[in-house]
Amino acid sequence: MRTRRTVAFAAPVFALALAATACGGGGDDGGGGDAPSLDDIAASDLNPQPREELEEGGIFIYGSSQPVPQLMTHHTDGNLGAGVEIMKAVMPSAFRFTDEGEAEPDPAYVEDFQMNDEGTEMTFVLNKDAEWSNGEPITWEDYEQQWKTLSGQEDGDFGAPGEVYAYQSVEDVEEGADEYEFTVTFSEPFGEYGMLFENLYPKEVMEDADRFNEDYMEDIPITAGPFDFKELDKSSDTVILERNEDFWGEKALLDEIHFQPGDPEGQAQAFANGEIDAFYVGYDAATFETAEGREDGHVTQAVDNGYRYIEMNADSPVLSDVNVRHAVMLGVDRSALAQLSLEGINWPSDPTANRLLRSSDPHFQDNSGDLGEQDQERAGELLDEAGWTLDGDASVRTNDDGDELEMRYFCPAGVKACESEAEVTKDMLGEIGIKVTTDSIPTEAFFNDHVYTGDFELASFVQIGSTPYVGESFENHTGPFDEDGEDWGNNNARTSTDEINEKFDELRQTVDPDEYGALANEIDGLLWQNGQGIPFFQRTGTYGVADGLANVGAPGLQSNWHYEDIGWTELPQR
């Protein structure tokens, strides 16, 4: 899972087929049958319990998706879903989100927050008790520095985006009556303010490129959350957090949280054996069945803030023509791909997936138009128009130079869902004369050496949002971000249009919810028209969770857990 590359602004965290950040609880129905529709999926599933009814103490062992060496989440190598999960427990964020995706100030850090009616100015009153683990107070200067660094104002070799979406809209951050009050002024109306000041780091780290790049490598030296960093067990890459006894807000109920990375099959078996307490199940039938087999556990069922899709790299010569990308869209059966992945779990195999909105959003709708249904005859016509023809009895199309129309489909090794998707897609596209070769790549190399560098034609994975805002995916779909047209940031499709870029700019300035939703759908439609990826289902909010564990599971648009509230109804015997 990952968010940013070179000049990334802000973007959903990427995930493999079975990896995540979030929460859930409930849902004991057996796997195998479809839920009736997406409308029946809950907004969140967290086994919510009042703090006073939970035990104090105990350890929560979470089966995370992968090791995370870089724990500076604003670094291009650090904004991984597994890293965000860890850092949300130990670092401040100004806002939290409701089931409906509405931003609310976190009282541990922000005592009062006001936005003017025009959406151009907001004022903060900070909690004066909030302090970093080195004893320094958290003041307006920490917030100001976050803006300066993430808006690209600082000189130095920061391993970070040049400008981050949302921060680029800020015109100024000014101190108020004292160091605990400040005003943020926007250069234009801005409705996505909840994206600001997420995972705040100390000023002295954010202003120094060396410290920004190096201090949080395999370490978390300064914290300010309900948990502190205890140690990294390098033998298993497990990050261990312990309760912050000096935390000024609600004290954490748990003694420790262990983030123990592993592959989905191994995590499922560890969960079934009671060796871990929760993990993201995903939708692999065998993993789902193993997780459901735990007698004192359950699999959650809720909306998840993400979607699964096939990425198409328009920078590859064979996919640079939008007609070819449309042909690939029309050549595959999205319903069949969704059913392939979802038939083994209790989830609707509905290919309706909106890149920007989730099914719990009142503005959610299908924007695929005539590109969402399989139409291989039309796909063939588009390929003919693009100069890729079938000659005689040939099974693979060629161009005038005799080159075959061949595409490489890469999967992260061990992710069976992707491997199945690749094989089915290979057969479907073979029917229209496209030769597809498949290959499994070690997980780290899959992203770092192929997806992020543009060395692929097709690849399937998940995009996950860390906030409910549409603008968070700005850099996944827009660009280029340099004058030479070569820097696509985190837009792995490496294509966009002026209209898409302009609509995102318009969206950023929209404060009316209905207008915002309408624009989001308009943009999603434009992404279909430009052939930017093939969504084929909304990501499943399926987590395996021990029955005695509360306030954790599938968070939906809440996007994150409230770590201080996670606890046991009865402490487990280990």
Side-chain angles (χ1 to χ4, degrees):
M1 304 176 281
R2 178 170 173 135
T3 298
R4 307 183 181 108
R5 258 190 344 109
T6 50
V7 189
F9 291 58
V13 180
F14 287 122
L16 307 182
L18 307 173
T21 59
C23 6
D28 290 329
D29 295 341
D34 260 1
S37 74
L38 288 175
D39 292 337
D40 298 297
I41 303 299
S44 63
D45 191 353
L46 295 161
N47 185 22
Q49 301 291 335
R51 286 172 54 91
E52 59 270 19
E53 295 183 12
L54 301 176
E55 298 286 341
E56 185 173 333
I59 296 172
F60 166 31
I61 303 177
Y62 179 63
S64 60
S65 60
Q66 65 185 106
V68 185
Q70 176 59 272
L71 289 160
M72 163 57 75
T73 61
H74 304 301
H75 192 284
T76 54
D77 292 333
N79 201 1
L80 304 167
V84 172
E85 289 171 337
I86 295 167
M87 300 309 287
K88 283 290 186 181
V90 298
M91 302 303 275
S93 288
F95 298 100
R96 286 177 163 176
F97 301 99
T98 67
D99 269 351
E100 293 74 35
E102 297 174 353
E104 296 180 340
D106 186 337
Y109 307 104
V110 178
E111 284 189 353
D112 188 48
F113 161 80
Q114 300 292 330
M115 170 70 87
N116 68 3
D117 293 339
E118 294 78 22
T120 57
E121 186 177 282
M122 57 184 185
T123 57
F124 287 84
V125 177
L126 302 179
N127 187 333
K128 294 182 180 180
D129 294 330
E131 63 180 22
W132 300 106
S133 56
N134 61 6
E136 293 296 318
I138 300 175
T139 72
W140 82 280
E141 290 184 316
D142 296 300
Y143 289 81
E144 180 195 37
Q145 190 60 51
Q146 184 111 328
W147 161 58
K148 286 183 175 180
T149 301
L150 298 186
S151 61
Q153 297 180 54
E154 288 291 355
D155 293 329
D157 188 18
F158 288 86
E163 282 188 320
V164 175
Y165 182 87
Y167 291 94
Q168 64 178 353
S169 296
V170 176
E171 188 172 84
D172 198 11
V173 177
E174 296 180 285
E175 184 179 11
D178 57 30
E179 63 182 348
Y180 298 104
E181 297 183 17
F182 64 96
T183 299
V184 177
T185 304
F186 296 101
S187 56
E188 58 198 9
F190 186 71
E192 299 178 317
Y193 57 85
M195 293 174 62
L196 292 167
F197 310 124
E198 182 185 20
N199 287 353
L200 194 72
Y201 288 76
K203 175 186 177 181
E204 62 266 29
V205 173
M206 294 297 290
E207 69 183 357
D208 184 312
D210 289 339
R211 296 194 64 178
F212 181 96
N213 296 334
E214 299 169 11
D215 276 18
Y216 286 78
M217 278 294 295
E218 298 187 334
D219 193 11
I220 311 176
I222 304 175
T223 65
F227 286 87
D228 275 329
F229 177 66
K230 182 178 181 180
E231 64 177 310
L232 169 64
D233 181 351
K234 293 191 176 182
S235 66
S236 62
D237 290 316
T238 298
V239 173
I240 300 175
L241 307 181
E242 61 184 354
R243 182 194 296 116
N244 178 2
E245 298 292 354
D246 296 323
F247 190 61
W248 52 93
E250 293 276 14
K251 290 285 192 282
L253 294 170
L254 296 167
D255 289 330
E256 295 181 355
I257 303 178
H258 296 192
F259 293 86
Q260 181 174 301
D263 63 81
E265 288 186 7
Q267 301 287 36
Q269 195 57 59
F271 178 72
N273 295 341
E275 297 165 6
I276 64 174
D277 305 312
F279 78 111
Y280 179 65
V281 174
Y283 38 85
D284 176 74
T287 303
F288 188 90
E289 184 177 1
T290 300
E292 280 217 318
R294 177 168 171 170
E295 291 186 2
D296 63 342
H298 59 275
V299 177
T300 67
Q301 186 180 75
V303 169
D304 193 81
N305 192 11
Y307 65 95
R308 187 156 182 82
Y309 74 122
I310 298 173
E311 185 67 281
M312 298 184 288
N313 176 18
D315 200 40
S316 170
V318 297
L319 283 165
S320 60
D321 189 327
V322 69
N323 279 343
V324 177
R325 299 198 298 276
H326 282 170
V328 174
M329 286 175 151
L330 294 165
V332 300
D333 183 340
R334 294 191 306 127
S335 295
L337 286 171
Q339 188 171 1
L340 174 73
S341 296
L342 300 172
E343 63 182 355
I345 69 172
N346 186 37
W347 195 269
S349 55
D350 184 343
T352 303
N354 188 311
R355 296 170 183 82
L356 305 178
L357 301 173
R358 304 297 160 250
S359 59
S360 57
D361 189 296
H363 301 99
F364 175 83
Q365 68 181 41
D366 177 25
N367 300 300
S368 60
D370 59 357
L371 293 167
E373 296 290 333
Q374 187 180 37
D375 186 343
Q376 294 196 335
E377 181 178 352
R378 184 173 168 229
E381 294 170 354
L382 290 171
L383 292 173
D384 288 338
E385 292 176 21
W388 296 99
T389 58
L390 277 173
D391 298 325
D393 295 329
S395 59
V396 180
R397 291 175 180 269
T398 56
N399 61 14
D400 290 340
D401 296 326
D403 301 322
E404 289 188 334
L405 181 52
E406 181 175 352
M407 301 179 188
R408 300 165 299 161
Y409 196 134
F410 290 149
C411 287
V415 180
K416 292 182 178 179
C418 182
E419 293 169 0
S420 297
E421 290 158 4
E423 288 300 321
V424 170
T425 299
K426 174 182 177 179
D427 292 342
M428 290 176 178
L429 295 184
E431 294 172 0
I432 59 173
I434 299 176
K435 180 180 179 180
V436 176
T437 60
T438 63
D439 196 7
S440 292
I441 309 294
T443 299
E444 186 173 352
F446 171 76
F447 282 118
N448 292 340
D449 298 342
H450 294 280
V451 174
Y452 298 146
T453 62
D455 182 19
F456 75 104
E457 277 75 48
L458 306 172
S460 53
F461 44 91
V462 170
Q463 263 192 39
I464 305 171
S466 61
T467 76
Y469 293 113
V470 171
E472 186 185 33
S473 63
F474 166 82
E475 199 250 340
N476 292 94
H477 304 303
T478 59
F481 305 115
D482 65 343
E483 293 181 358
D484 297 328
E486 297 179 356
D487 192 337
W488 287 97
N490 204 39
N491 180 344
N492 295 309
R494 292 169 176 80
T495 181
S496 190
T497 67
D498 289 342
E499 187 175 9
I500 291 171
N501 293 341
E502 290 164 3
K503 288 296 180 183
F504 265 105
D505 288 340
E506 187 178 343
L507 181 101
R508 184 173 64 242
Q509 302 173 45
T510 302
V511 295
D512 180 83
D514 292 332
E515 292 179 13
Y516 185 88
L519 268 172
N521 283 310
E522 186 176 354
I523 294 170
D524 187 46
L526 292 171
L527 295 171
W528 277 101
Q529 292 171 29
N530 195 43
Q532 291 183 232
I534 311 171
F536 55 96
F537 65 85
Q538 183 169 270
R539 187 173 186 261
T540 62
T542 45
Y543 290 74
V545 183
D547 286 340
L549 192 60
N551 300 320
V552 72
L557 293 182
Q558 291 185 39
S559 302
N560 297 287
W561 299 325
H562 294 186
Y563 286 86
E564 67 274 23
D565 295 335
I566 300 172
W568 292 96
T569 56
E570 183 177 344
L571 294 180
Q573 301 298 314
R574 297 193 186 276

